[in-house]
Amino acid sequence: MTESPLDWRDKGTQANQIEVKTQESMSSKRKRAAIDLSLAADQREKEEDHIAGDRRGKDGGVDKKEEQFKEQEEDHPIEETAGEKVVEVVVDQGGDGTKEEIKYRTQHGEEMEEDKQSEEDAGDGDDESDGAETRAEDKHVVEATAGDGDDSQTTMVQDEVNAMQEEMEKMKEENQMLRRVVDRTMRDYYELKMKLAAYQQQPADEPKAQEPEVFLSLGATAATGQGFPEPKRKGQAARRPSVGSDETDDGKGEDLGLSLSLGASSSYEEEKVEAAAAHDMDVVGADGKAKGYALLESSKLVGAPAAGGDHLAAAAGVTSQSVNPANRKTRVSVRVRCQGPTMNDGCQWRKYGQKVAKGNPCPRAYYRCTVAPGCPVRKQVQRCLEDMSILVTTYEGTHNHPLPVGATAMASTTSAAATFMLLSSTNSSSSISEAGGGSGAAPPYLSPYLLNSHHSSASPLLSTPSSMPASVVPGGAASGMQHLNLFGHSSMASHLKYPWSASPSHGSSSDQMAGSKRPFWSTGGDEKHAATMADNVGAVMADPSKFSVAIAAAINSFMGKDGQAMSGNKDGEGSSSKSSNKWGVVESLPPP
DNA sequence: CGGATTTGACCAGCGC
DNA sequence: GCGCTGGTCAAATCCG
């Protein structure tokens, strides 16, 4: 014979009721805890004590066993909040006074509403008799009719109570475990929060230290296999003769690739890279330290002429260098294969200087943001030495004004790239973690997942030059870079399908990057779709917002793949010079 | 004519 | 200290 909780409670409240208060006390505590789980433990205990005290005061004649029960509850006030069974003993004296009932209930109350209702029904001072059934699923009711001094039945009931109590003990233990988990989670949360705050508040006068550098390039990498031939390396061999003007590059033989790399260097100068000629290799400076990094394996898209016409050939790249505040400001570099003098990033720029940098015959142009007066953002634009069709645009600083839509998308994406890779870098080296903190434009949104998932020396997606193991980073002049090429191989690229290809419209806002009309990232025959990809990349670059989407997707893709990809190469050299297949990121790209 | 670009000069940092 | 290099300035020039 069972009754619904509501029924018996109603009956109990209406009748002359003798209720063992265990349930009520638990009920109160449970409610309390449900309201505010974050109460300090001591505070909570005080409340529990208070409640227990009240209870004792009101119910002096409580069963001894129940008293013990209460004490147990008070020992574990929190555990009771997580859905334990409740033992309830009710001696219900019928309204006519002829019958007494003793009810033992173990219940996982799920009837909060009912509880409230019965609370109201109970009236003043009767709230202790309700609300016990707040969390459970099953309900077991043992009901015994207490006859006049029926000791045998009472004994049975007592046994049942004992069993219930044991069960409760187990539940309490479980609850305790859960509690610990919650506490640990909260602790972790606050730790991360503090870390974030610490990063954001890093003083600007911090000594120069390792400077994480993020490279994310979308589109075609040089046919020479150079991932990031950022021609800024100083004083080393392999200087190339001038290959031509900025406007001359038919884009032949270029690789389509999306690459992402991260590096850390002690100073911006050391980021200077002159990539080797036709093979992936780490560039080592005269001092023997790694100064640059070859891009991963380049996929050769020979015979894939840039279909972008006179404008955008077929490549794009984003390089984000999250610079230590001490070094200056955040640097984000975008590498774009385009024929125009600059790429359209949605902002207005005014050229204020031009200089021929050492090691690269191509002049470097300096631009200043003119969207708002006094905007500190500047950018440098320079042709890539190895592939003149690649335009390397380095942004520096943080805009002090709202950005145009396209620029916003780009900025947020590159910032995300920088942040993401910065986090990676942070995890791979404590020194980077300490010195490479977020600067204004790329705050380090710490994520334990990120922190745990990218290690430069372990991921096949991130190539750390053999000459620059991640452990070298602290204090040295060496620089490290992690690189990811998502379109590393043409054969892989040819199978790519991208979620962002859905939109066929290109909205070519760029003057120098008239987009192609083809669907972005469409596939086709080998040469054909290689060229198509070139077109598509061009299309993306013509539309800053679309470009940012592509970058974001690439990052997401990278992150998603990272876990399994991590298990592969641990050798940076291997990852940068062997098989392009190791850049399995391509395979991880989202399905169409 | 006003704004943008060009270009040589200047300055600061860094390495030898 | 000197030279080299990158970065910036500002006058001259260009262009719509």
Side-chain angles (χ1 to χ4, degrees), chain A residues 10-71:
Chain A
D10 287 345
K11 186 190 294 181
T13 54
Q14 289 169 359
N16 294 329
Q17 183 180 28
I18 301 173
E19 283 195 68
V20 177
K21 297 303 180 183
T22 301
Q23 177 185 351
E24 297 105 39
S25 63
M26 294 174 70
S27 165
S28 300
K29 285 186 285 189
R30 201 175 287 113
K31 282 185 199 169
R32 224 169 279 266
I35 290 171
D36 186 7
L37 274 174
S38 64
L39 278 176
D42 53 349
Q43 182 180 352
R44 215 151 24 202
E45 286 177 6
K46 285 180 183 176
E47 290 186 14
E48 306 301 336
D49 292 342
H50 180 67
I51 294 170
D54 290 348
R55 215 165 46 221
R56 291 193 190 96
K58 290 178 183 176
D59 311 303
V62 183
D63 186 298
K64 188 176 183 180
K65 207 166 253 181
E66 300 302 328
E67 196 65 58
Q68 179 184 359
F69 202 2
K70 283 189 286 185
E71 291 175 2

Side-chain angles (χ1 to χ4, degrees), chain A residues 278-333:
Chain A
H279 302 286
D280 295 311
M281 55 181 287
D282 297 334
V283 178
V284 180
D287 56 355
K289 292 176 180 175
K291 297 252 180 176
Y293 320 84
L295 252 201
L296 25 138
E297 194 65 19
S298 60
S299 39
K300 308 290 192 282
L301 279 186
V302 181
D310 290 337
H311 297 291
L312 191 68
V318 171
T319 300
S320 341
Q321 306 167 346
S322 187
V323 169
N324 190 326
N327 285 342
R328 256 181 92 148
K329 309 158 186 172
T330 298
R331 283 174 177 267
V332 177
S333 293

Side-chain angles (χ1 to χ4, degrees), chain A residues 228-346:
Chain A
F228 289 95
E230 193 157 354
K232 293 188 293 181
R233 172 182 164 207
K234 49 183 170 183
Q236 80 287 49
R239 246 172 238 176
R240 286 168 186 262
S242 178
V243 182
S245 71
D246 292 353
E247 307 300 328
T248 61
D249 189 53
D250 57 2
K252 284 184 179 179
E254 66 211 0
D255 297 330
L256 296 176
L258 176 61
S259 56
L260 174 67
S261 69
L262 165 68
S265 59
S266 59
S267 70
Y268 181 64
E269 295 295 287
E270 289 167 2
E271 299 166 3
K272 296 173 182 180
V273 174
E274 182 164 7
H279 302 286
D280 295 311
M281 55 181 287
D282 297 334
V283 178
V284 180
D287 56 355
K289 292 176 180 175
K291 297 252 180 176
Y293 320 84
L295 252 201
L296 25 138
E297 194 65 19
S298 60
S299 39
K300 308 290 192 282
L301 279 186
V302 181
D310 290 337
H311 297 291
L312 191 68
V318 171
T319 300
S320 341
Q321 306 167 346
S322 187
V323 169
N324 190 326
N327 285 342
R328 256 181 92 148
K329 309 158 186 172
T330 298
R331 283 174 177 267
V332 177
S333 293
V334 180
R335 300 175 71 251
V336 180
R337 184 171 297 247
C338 83
Q339 298 292 323
T342 66
M343 74 172 220
N344 178 27
D345 50 21

Side-chain angles (χ1 to χ4, degrees), chain A residues 14 18 77 85 199 206-207 274 285 297 307 318 408 441 456 462 478 491-492 578:
Chain A
Q14 289 169 359
I18 301 173
K85 292 181 181 177
Y199 277 119
E206 199 171 279
E274 182 164 7
E297 194 65 19
V318 171
T408 301
S456 62
L462 302 174
S491 63
M492 302 173 78
K578 299 298 180 183

Side-chain angles (χ1 to χ4, degrees), chain A residues 107 109 130 159 170 216 290 375 446 520:
Chain A
Q107 50 194 0
D130 63 85
D159 292 341
K170 292 178 184 177
L216 172 62
C375 179
L446 295 175
F520 178 45

Side-chain angles (χ1 to χ4, degrees), chain A residues 147-203:
Chain A
D148 297 335
D150 192 341
D151 291 341
S152 63
Q153 284 190 1
T154 303
T155 302
M156 276 179 50
V157 170
Q158 294 296 333
D159 292 341
E160 192 75 22
V161 169
N162 291 336
M164 301 290 182
Q165 284 181 342
E166 290 178 5
E167 198 170 352
M168 265 192 64
E169 294 295 329
K170 292 178 184 177
M171 297 301 294
K172 285 179 180 176
E173 289 178 7
E174 291 180 19
N175 291 332
Q176 206 163 8
M177 281 182 54
L178 291 172
R179 165 69 176 173
R180 286 194 210 106
V181 170
V182 171
D183 286 345
R184 200 182 314 137
T185 303
M186 293 298 291
R187 261 200 310 273
D188 291 344
Y189 167 72
Y190 283 115
E191 283 177 9
L192 290 173
K193 207 173 175 182
M194 295 305 293
K195 277 184 183 178
L196 174 60
Y199 277 119
Q200 289 174 335
Q201 294 174 359
Q202 266 189 343

